[in-house]
Amino acid sequence: MLLIKDVRKTWQDLTDEMGERGVNQLVAFLATSTRSDEPLTPSLRVDLFWHAFVQRTVHYVAFSRSLGVDYIHHVPDEDEGGSDPEAGRAAMALTTAAIRAAGFTIDAEFWPNEGAADCSQCHAGCTDSPVGGK
């Protein structure tokens, strides 16, 4: 799969099996984000897959439209040095709870509040928005 190959450029030891799991977590995150009234935040690992997917614009737009939105915008947090770990934990907890509530399974290796995954690069990370920024 091209997306796994793309992510492997920055995550060299990514296995095919872990890559497939990452794609599944990305799909769960993006699908949930289109249904959520709150901005959701990906983990760093999920964000790697999102960045790679956004760059494949034809497939990304088609996927967004299949979820009933024109485009799921990737909105980086403006506070790059965000140093509030509590806010980061709260954002991850909100996101994983929303994904579960939408009927998806959380893979603990991809979410810092669930397992060993790295936290996002900032206190709340990047967020989603199907309508251009929340």
Side-chain angles (χ1 to χ4, degrees):
M1 172 182 270
L2 287 175
L3 189 53
I4 295 169
K5 183 179 174 183
D6 291 343
V7 172
R8 199 171 276 131
K9 292 174 187 172
T10 56
W11 184 354
Q12 286 83 23
D13 59 345
L14 178 68
T15 65
D16 287 344
E17 185 263 339
M18 187 73 152
E20 289 174 19
R21 291 167 50 200
V23 170
N24 288 337
Q25 291 303 287
L26 173 65
V27 168
F29 169 77
L30 292 175
T32 302
S33 74
T34 65
R35 304 177 198 160
S36 178
D37 293 330
E38 298 291 325
L40 302 181
T41 301
S43 67
L44 181 57
R45 288 182 176 179
V46 172
D47 203 36
L48 289 173
F49 284 88
W50 194 5
H51 283 221
F53 196 19
V54 165
Q55 292 179 34
R56 294 198 171 272
T57 57
V58 172
H59 297 292
Y60 187 73
V61 169
F63 177 79
S64 295
R65 290 182 177 160
S66 76
L67 296 175
V69 296
D70 286 331
Y71 190 87
I72 304 166
H73 291 274
H74 185 283
V75 183
D77 188 336
E78 296 299 321
D79 183 18
E80 296 237 354
S83 59
D84 184 353
E86 282 301 315
R89 283 190 283 279
M92 288 293 112
L94 177 93
T95 298
T96 54
I99 291 170
R100 279 192 181 98
F104 295 101
T105 301
I106 292 294
D107 186 328
E109 289 191 65
F110 285 87
W111 299 94
N113 60 317
E114 300 286 327
D118 295 328
C119 191
S120 180
Q121 65 275 13
C122 50
H123 81 280
C126 302
T127 59
D128 63 284
S129 174
V131 293
K134 291 184 180 179

